[in-house]
Amino acid sequence: MKCMVKLEAISKRYGEIAALDNVDLEIREKEVLTLLGPNGSGKTTLLRIIAFIDSPTNGDLLFDGERIYDGNKVMARKKCTMVFQRAALFNSTVYKNIAYGLKLRGCSKRETKEKVGEALALAKLQGYEKRYAKKLSGGEQQRVSLARALALNTQLLLLDEPTANLDPKNASIIEETISFVNREFGTTIVAATHNIFQAEILTDRVGLLLAGRLAQVGPPHEVLRGPSTGLASFARLENIFSGNSKILPEGTSIIEADGGLKIESATRKSGKVTVFVMPEDIIVSERAILSSARNVFRGKIVDVSDLGSIVKLRVAARRDFVVQVTKRSFVEMRLNVGSLVFLTFKASSVHHV
Ligand code: ATP
């Protein structure tokens, strides 16, 4: 895929704070790239630089092979739109909010009407035209912000935490819209998130940003599943266990972690180790299942968080595990807080840090 935006050794300092440190990144045409990282890791800073809103302290930025500097920044800015984390809407109707950017770009009334209509449909906001944007719920306001950006139909769309703090319904509408515009119109999308599930569901590539450095970039299965010190240090990653590992005669290892938890790993290693298991590698079942998987635990669901098409569960077994199931399975299995479940995963799903 052709490179659309190239960042070369980008650094950004705010006084003593190094918000970004020597970031090299290529954004490819028609891809969805998520920037995954904990709070304060530099995601917003990076998006603002890619949007040509802020200039880097050091480094170069190229758009379609052309170096961007102050003199041609305005031209480059027209090729992309950024949706900010907190919707900044005008105290006016939804229609006027979405039409504003089009007006600035000199669209005729007819063209504006057509484009606003299309954007409303994309964000599933038909019928909201006359409502006051500021009176809508947080999630609906976020969809208006997205619709406002979509109406401009730029090649590059930058989204800062598009679903942070939203209810599941609005979050899944936004996720579906993002996938739709990428698939149907070939819009290149870069989205910042600290939601590991979203990074996996939405994207072609994930860039892991830790303390201003781009620790890893690649397809989700490589970045999110492979053994990676960077990923494990990402504070929100769950299912991390430390303990003493012993090699078993059959070639695997058994790790004894706190709380009497014993995990079997396919990696032969002895001594003190830290391992992690990705939530999606854990099978949730109502009864113990007969399988070749070496790790089976019984536990109780203690927390449920609905992420739209996926539901994340916290299960108290000997230790807390975080697992994910599809919404459909969640409903069909009638799971809820208090349900007793079995968790099953393979020894080969236990990754060493
Ligand atoms: P969050 O998920 O909390 O939004 P983030 O990953 O988007 O975080 P940034 O907002 O890019 O992180 O911030 C990176 C670092 O730069 C932080 O330490 C932040 O405090 C600092 N920073 C960002 N903007 C400014 C600013 N305008 N002035 C001073 N420091 C800033």
Side-chain angles (χ1 to χ4, degrees), residues 112-160:
T112 300
K113 195 171 172 204
E114 199 177 295
K115 289 189 172 173
V116 173
E118 283 165 10
L120 283 166
L122 286 171
K124 298 196 171 62
L125 285 169
Q126 297 104 319
Y128 280 68
E129 295 83 331
K130 291 188 179 144
R131 290 180 60 180
Y132 272 85
K134 291 217 164 183
K135 297 248 165 84
L136 300 176
S137 73
E140 288 165 339
Q141 289 195 25
Q142 195 59 23
R143 278 157 60 201
V144 176
S145 277
L146 181 62
R148 188 165 64 177
L150 294 175
L152 300 176
N153 196 18
T154 51
Q155 290 167 263
L156 177 61
L157 183 61
L158 304 164
L159 307 168
D160 195 3

Side-chain angles (χ1 to χ4, degrees), residues 14 17 19 38-45 85 161 194:
Y14 292 105
I17 300 167
N39 290 337
S41 56
K43 303 182 296 293
T44 305
T45 305
Q85 197 168 348
E161 298 274 4
H194 59 251

